[in-house]
Amino acid sequence: MVSSEQKLDNFSARELDVLACTVNGCSYKRTAILLNISPRTTETHMRHALSKVGCLTREEMLNHIQKTTHKEVLLARYVNISRTENFPSVSQNKRKKIKLKKIFWILLPFVVAVTIVGTVFVHEKQNTFLDSSNTLINQHVIARKTLEKDIDAALQARQGITVLALVGNGGAGKTTLARKYLEKFAGHFTYEINAETLASLRSSFIDLAYKLAKNQSQREDLVFIHGISDENEKHRQLLHFVQCRMREISDWILALDNLEDLEYLKIFCPLSINMWGKGKIIITTRNENIKTVDYLGKIKIIPVCELEQKEKIELFSSILETQENTEIKEFLEQIPGYPLDISSAAHYLKNTGISITEYLKYTQNISKEFENMSKRFMLESTNYDRTRYGIITSNFREILSKNNLFLELLCLISLFDSQDIPLQILRQVSGALPADDLVSHLKRYSMITSNGNKISIHRSIQSIWLDCISKEMNLREKNEFINKMFSLLAPYDHLEANYNALGELIPHLKSLVEKIDKLCTSNLNRQKIDWLVTIGDIYRLKESSSSASINYFNQALALNQENPCLSSTEIALINFKIGWVYSLMSQNDEAIEFLSLGLLDLEKNGDHPEELAQSYRLIGIIKMRKNLFAESNECFKKAIRVLDAAEKHQQLLNSSDQKSRGAAQLMLVNLKVIRAHIYSNMAYSYFMEGINRGKAVEAVQIMKKAISILDGTTPVSEKVICHLISCRSRLSGIYNALCKYDLSLEEGRKAEKLIENLSSVDNSTFYAQGIILRERGLSYLRLNDVKNAYD
């Protein structure tokens, strides 16, 4: 403790104002009104004053001031404050001054029971103490029937100690709900503890002890406890004192408000009926991880989510004093449905008179002025000075301070679609441990919901995060991040093998293209084109989405026309992909047009043998459809020559350094698969041309060559297996045409065996299954096995 003659100039002017009001018996709420500041700010100034004097509680502070010569100075300061605020001046009437002093010293023992950071509710017999200075919506409390029904059911449980946790995002109305139940509780004792920090929890707990001290002996016990120098022993004795008093009460209900750190529960949460007696506990928290806390035993978790449609309209309309209409309904669908957001919007509209359309424009790009005005209107109307933007940005800073790897992950979550974000992608970006750690922190603030290996987040949180990230990252970091994401999420080498997983990425990549403007990167146009082509590539694998694929490729080419950034080869590759899709759709003329557009440049460039060989192959297929078999086979042969040259080059790389060797081996596998595909197409062309001539026999040998290549390919991927199934199903048909029915049946059985090893069946495999069954039926029919043929 500092000297009793400590100078007042150690305190700031505002701290002296708060002390002056406290000496004169003002509550935090009353002090806040007198000084025109928020109750939370009042609490902050008091904490600073307590730390400077070395006191733990307001009681100690008041006792300390009594021992100094500063009491009269503070009383005089209070007179000036009250005169300024047009309250009756103490100096106007000497008798009033004397009376005020007497009342103050009489009420002093009760003043020390006012919470330091929390709000107290005491209902004892018919006497009620209520301070709702932090209530979010004190004039416009709405009934949340569904939630209140769940809370009623949970609190009616016949247990020694019932624990209920209200879990939800900041501004969801958790505290308002808890206080509503404290007010209507019919037990003997209710009390709210501010559990936001360890300091506030301890301060509230000390005040709870004073509230429970009913006689002089118990108050003397508390004085003795405060005199203990060992802090751990002091808190242990204080806890024991509170437990003894609580056991004497027949029934009680405690609210632990705004609990952030679940470790605090181990210190203060009443869980044993033998130690605390019978009672109920309501915990309000954003920390969704509370559901995993084992030592709480059987705890009822009630999520406090957005308001229901009727509740949103009721709250909004009551504040604006208007009737619901279509415009209001549509507006409420465009802002978060939490009480905080609806109340903030309504008070802003009420105070400024702007239109709903103007307000929505402000929310799209939140300025400092808009945020400050929103806070001021909320404080004036509800005595609550927080907004959605303020809560989210504060949480964002806290989370970001935990790990510097979180910035990229938060950026990715902000750019993706808000629903069903795959955790696998987050783990791919930063590694499994940082990604899982971030998810845990996000759950702590109720910012996400999880469903298996996917998470979802509210779009308003995403928008605010993206705004923060655009200010947090410099230009170099933004460009590096987008390039890193592209290298991870543009999987050209294994598109076909992973379509199902990649298909889930489509809404996220679309969202990324729409939001990337907000990052203001230096190479925005090029980055958008790359992402559009990636989306087109994923759609290209699914025949039912072919038109969507062409749409995204065309968007990429249109962007390039506005602001050219693609090389002629890159344009040729996009034209090749468009031609590929048209060939899948059997739009042969369009396919030839786009494939031919890219062919000349690909031939000149020589760096893309796969696409060049595939171009010749696809043109060959189209020629075959038109019964131009000689031209078709010539195209297939050109494709084979391209592969021969490419394989020779890759074999040279394969014999060089290790880095080149790995890429060369992968390329050789791809080239083999393409070669097998070409032989398969060529075999079918020979077969179609030779149905009435001898060329059908040659088709068998070419198809066997394709099968041999695929059988010898390692590693054996599902992509390779699908090609094998297609080849064997077609060979089954060729054997049937050559009247070799037993061989046809054998190839069909081999193909079906391969299908059993697939994890999923795509369109081409379904088609192959149809061919297998058709050819089997024909074989049995020709073998006079009519029953099996019919089956």
Side-chain angles (χ1 to χ4, degrees):
M1 184 75 71
V2 299
S3 166
S4 62
E5 294 303 318
Q6 181 179 16
K7 293 181 180 179
L8 288 178
D9 54 15
N10 287 339
F11 299 94
S12 69
R14 189 55 90 190
E15 287 167 0
L16 289 174
D17 290 342
V18 172
L19 287 174
C21 294
T22 302
V23 166
N24 282 274
C26 295
S27 68
Y28 281 135
K29 183 179 180 182
R30 177 63 175 160
T31 301
I33 293 171
L34 285 170
L35 301 179
N36 195 26
I37 58 178
S38 71
R40 193 179 293 272
T41 304
T42 306
E43 295 167 2
T44 301
H45 288 308
M46 175 56 81
R47 285 200 299 273
H48 291 164
L50 289 171
S51 65
K52 289 179 180 179
V53 180
C55 295
L56 287 175
T57 67
R58 289 176 61 169
E59 182 197 34
E60 286 184 276
M61 170 67 83
L62 292 169
N63 289 335
H64 174 67
I65 291 172
Q66 276 187 294
K67 299 174 186 176
T68 71
T69 59
H70 304 317
K71 183 174 66 177
E72 292 299 325
V73 175
L74 293 173
L75 286 169
R77 192 179 186 95
Y78 175 76
V79 170
N80 290 329
I81 293 169
S82 61
R83 183 183 293 119
T84 302
E85 292 296 326
N86 295 320
F87 286 103
S89 173
V90 178
S91 61
Q92 287 176 359
N93 189 310
K94 190 173 182 180
R95 285 178 298 175
K96 287 184 179 179
K97 181 176 180 180
I98 295 170
K99 185 177 180 182
L100 179 63
K101 288 183 181 179
K102 286 182 178 179
I103 292 172
F104 164 68
W105 294 115
I106 291 170
L107 294 177
L108 179 60
F110 298 97
V111 172
V112 298
V114 180
T115 60
I116 290 177
V117 190
T119 303
V120 182
F121 296 80
V122 176
H123 304 268
E124 191 161 8
K125 296 181 181 177
Q126 297 301 317
N127 299 320
T128 301
F129 176 87
L130 175 61
D131 179 0
S132 58
S133 61
N134 285 328
T135 303
L136 172 59
I137 306 165
N138 46 15
Q139 293 180 343
H140 304 282
V141 178
I142 57 170
R144 304 181 69 171
K145 294 181 180 178
T146 304
L147 269 177
E148 289 173 18
K149 184 179 179 182
D150 292 340
I151 296 172
D152 281 333
L155 292 180
Q156 286 171 6
R158 297 289 181 182
Q159 295 174 228
I161 296 178
T162 302
V163 183
L164 165 68
L166 302 178
V167 183
N169 209 325
K174 304 180 296 296
T175 300
T176 301
L177 280 166
R179 287 175 177 166
K180 188 172 183 178
Y181 275 84
L182 290 182
E183 289 183 63
K184 79 175 194 177
F185 186 69
H188 290 86
F189 188 89
T190 65
Y191 194 90
E192 180 184 326
I193 295 174
N194 186 328
E196 185 172 3
T197 66
L198 188 58
S200 68
L201 184 58
R202 283 176 170 166
S203 298
S204 294
F205 207 74
I206 291 168
D207 288 323
L208 172 60
Y210 276 98
K211 183 57 62 177
L212 291 166
K214 297 303 178 187
N215 53 49
Q216 185 61 30
S217 173
Q218 291 174 355
R219 284 190 282 271
E220 288 173 359
D221 287 343
L222 285 178
V223 172
F224 171 77
I225 291 171
H226 278 308
I228 299 173
S229 57
D230 185 312
E231 288 299 316
N232 290 330
E233 179 61 20
K234 180 189 290 187
H235 291 306
R236 192 182 69 79
Q237 291 286 352
L238 186 66
L239 181 62
H240 178 69
F241 176 88
V242 171
Q243 288 172 342
C244 291
R245 303 289 78 78
M246 296 290 278
R247 284 201 303 270
E248 295 170 0
I249 301 171
S250 61
D251 202 0
W252 49 260
I253 181 166
L254 294 180
L256 271 68
D257 186 46
N258 205 13
L259 177 70
E260 296 294 338
D261 194 330
L262 301 181
E263 288 295 311
Y264 300 164
L265 291 171
K266 292 180 181 177
I267 308 172
F268 293 110
C269 191
L271 296 174
S272 168
I273 187 173
N274 294 327
M275 298 174 70
W276 290 85
K278 291 179 64 176
K280 304 179 190 299
I281 303 167
I282 300 177
I283 300 170
T284 70
T285 181
R286 291 178 295 179
N287 196 338
E288 188 186 325
N289 296 318
I290 194 169
K291 63 179 67 170
T292 65
V293 178
D294 293 334
Y295 55 79
L296 283 177
K298 192 174 182 181
I299 176 174
K300 176 67 175 177
I301 306 288
I302 296 181
V304 182
C305 303
E306 296 181 71
L307 297 172
E308 296 175 4
Q309 182 67 14
K310 286 184 179 179
E311 296 167 346
K312 289 191 283 187
I313 294 170
E314 180 187 343
L315 175 58
F316 188 81
S317 301
S318 67
I319 295 172
L320 281 177
E321 299 175 355
T322 185
Q323 298 296 317
E324 68 173 270
N325 55 48
T326 304
E327 186 183 22
I328 288 176
K329 288 180 180 178
E330 291 176 353
F331 170 68
L332 293 176
E333 289 175 359
Q334 297 181 67
I335 64 172
Y338 297 109
L340 169 63
D341 304 272
I342 293 168
S343 178
S344 179
H347 285 297
Y348 195 100
L349 292 168
K350 187 174 184 178
N351 278 276
T352 62
I354 66 170
S355 69
I356 282 174
T357 304
E358 288 176 298
Y359 180 84
L360 287 173
K361 285 181 182 177
Y362 290 149
T363 61
Q364 296 303 313
N365 190 13
I366 297 174
S367 65
K368 192 172 183 180
E369 287 180 337
F370 175 75
E371 172 65 5
N372 288 339
M373 288 175 68
S374 296
K375 288 172 70 173
R376 178 161 60 85
F377 295 148
M378 283 293 288
L379 183 60
E380 290 172 354
S381 304
T382 69
N383 216 8
Y384 188 90
D385 64 349
R386 306 200 73 184
T387 61
R388 171 68 51 212
Y389 187 86
I391 290 172
I392 299 304
T393 52
S394 173
N395 295 156
F396 176 83
R397 300 291 173 198
E398 290 173 32
I399 292 170
L400 205 56
S401 68
K402 306 295 182 185
N403 190 327
N404 57 11
L405 293 176
F406 287 172
L407 182 60
E408 285 189 347
L409 293 172
L410 291 170
C411 188
L412 184 63
I413 293 172
S414 302
L415 290 170
F416 270 11
D417 186 75
S418 63
Q419 304 302 301
D420 296 328
I421 300 170
L423 286 176
Q424 177 188 353
I425 300 298
L426 301 183
R427 291 167 180 151
Q428 197 175 352
V429 171
S430 65
L433 291 177
D436 293 342
D437 189 25
L438 174 62
V439 169
S440 176
H441 282 292
L442 294 178
K443 286 183 176 180
R444 178 176 181 177
Y445 296 102
S446 283
M447 287 188 170
I448 60 171
T449 56
S450 55
N451 179 19
N453 285 320
K454 295 176 184 176
I455 61 171
S456 297
I457 188 168
H458 199 284
R459 63 183 182 276
S460 66
I461 296 177
Q462 275 191 314
S463 178
I464 294 170
W465 278 1
L466 195 54
D467 182 63
C468 293
I469 287 164
S470 65
K471 297 169 185 173
E472 188 76 24
M473 282 181 164
N474 59 41
L475 188 59
R476 178 184 57 80
E477 289 172 328
K478 290 173 184 176
N479 284 322
E480 287 178 354
F481 168 73
I482 293 298
N483 291 335
K484 180 180 179 180
M485 292 307 102
F486 186 73
S487 66
L488 289 172
L489 302 178
Y492 293 106
D493 292 333
H494 54 280
L495 276 171
E496 291 185 46
N498 296 278
Y499 177 79
N500 290 334
L502 290 169
E504 296 175 357
L505 270 181
I506 287 176
H508 301 300
L509 297 183
K510 287 180 181 178
S511 174
L512 190 151
V513 171
E514 292 170 4
K515 296 176 183 176
I516 198 174
D517 292 35
K518 295 183 180 178
L519 281 186
C520 302
T521 55
S522 61
N523 201 11
L524 183 61
N525 200 57
R526 176 55 196 255
Q527 289 164 350
K528 276 191 173 182
I529 288 172
D530 287 340
W531 289 114
L532 288 168
V533 171
T534 300
I535 297 171
D537 268 330
I538 296 173
Y539 273 132
R540 179 164 59 98
L541 302 175
K542 197 167 185 179
E543 290 180 42
S544 59
S545 302
S546 297
S547 57
S549 175
I550 291 174
N551 176 45
Y552 281 95
F553 290 137
N554 283 332
Q555 283 186 50
L557 291 174
L559 270 180
N560 185 65
Q561 281 187 334
E562 292 173 14
N563 187 6
C565 57
L566 296 177
S567 68
S568 60
T569 301
E570 288 169 327
I571 294 172
L573 290 171
I574 295 175
N575 284 326
F576 154 72
K577 291 170 181 178
I578 294 174
W580 179 312
V581 175
Y582 275 128
S583 72
L584 290 176
M585 297 166 68
S586 297
Q587 295 187 21
N588 298 327
D589 294 337
E590 292 85 350
I592 290 285
E593 177 189 348
F594 281 94
L595 289 169
S596 300
L597 278 174
L599 198 57
L600 187 60
D601 196 277
L602 292 175
E603 283 177 335
K604 264 198 254 177
N605 184 279
D607 290 336
H608 299 276
E610 293 177 84
E611 288 81 0
L612 181 57
Q614 292 280 32
S615 294
Y616 283 126
R617 182 181 76 84
L618 292 169
I619 294 172
I621 290 172
I622 294 167
K623 298 285 187 183
M624 181 172 56
R625 289 173 184 165
K626 295 184 175 185
N627 295 326
L628 301 172
F629 299 114
E631 293 179 32
S632 170
N633 290 326
E634 186 56 38
C635 288
F636 294 142
K637 288 172 184 177
K638 284 183 180 179
I640 294 295
R641 287 196 290 271
V642 170
L643 294 179
D644 288 340
E647 284 186 0
K648 191 178 292 184
H649 177 67
Q650 294 303 320
Q651 284 164 356
L652 288 173
L653 292 175
N654 197 25
S655 61
S656 60
D657 63 279
Q658 183 138 2
K659 186 176 180 181
S660 300
R661 191 178 302 133
Q665 286 175 342
L666 180 62
M667 176 66 84
L668 284 168
V669 171
N670 289 340
L671 294 174
K672 282 184 177 180
V673 172
I674 294 171
R675 183 184 291 272
H677 219 154
I678 294 168
Y679 280 138
S680 171
N681 295 136
M682 186 185 290
Y684 201 69
S685 176
Y686 270 68
F687 168 66
M688 292 296 294
E689 184 183 1
I691 287 177
N692 299 313
R693 290 180 289 165
K695 276 204 164 187
V697 177
E698 292 181 56
V700 173
Q701 300 308 315
I702 298 173
M703 191 66 81
K704 283 185 175 180
K705 191 182 289 188
I707 291 170
S708 175
I709 291 171
L710 293 171
D711 274 336
T713 300
T714 55
V716 181
S717 64
E718 292 213 346
K719 180 179 178 181
V720 170
I721 294 172
C722 287
H723 283 318
L724 262 174
I725 292 166
S726 177
C727 289
R728 292 196 179 278
S729 66
R730 286 188 171 188
L731 184 55
S732 174
I734 295 171
Y735 276 137
N736 256 341
L738 295 171
C739 302
K740 296 182 178 181
Y741 308 122
D742 290 335
L743 291 176
S744 175
L745 291 170
E746 183 182 350
E747 288 301 325
R749 283 191 288 269
K750 286 179 180 178
E752 282 186 324
K753 191 72 175 175
L754 290 170
I755 293 172
E756 292 174 6
N757 296 324
L758 292 175
S759 60
S760 61
V761 179
D762 62 10
N763 288 348
S764 64
T765 309
F766 273 124
Y767 182 72
Q769 281 180 308
I771 291 175
I772 292 164
L773 294 172
R774 182 192 67 189
E775 298 302 331
R776 181 175 295 161
L778 288 172
S779 296
Y780 280 131
L781 190 61
R782 303 284 166 72
L783 291 169
N784 295 319
D785 189 346
V786 178
K787 184 181 182 305
N788 275 329
Y790 180 82
D791 290 341

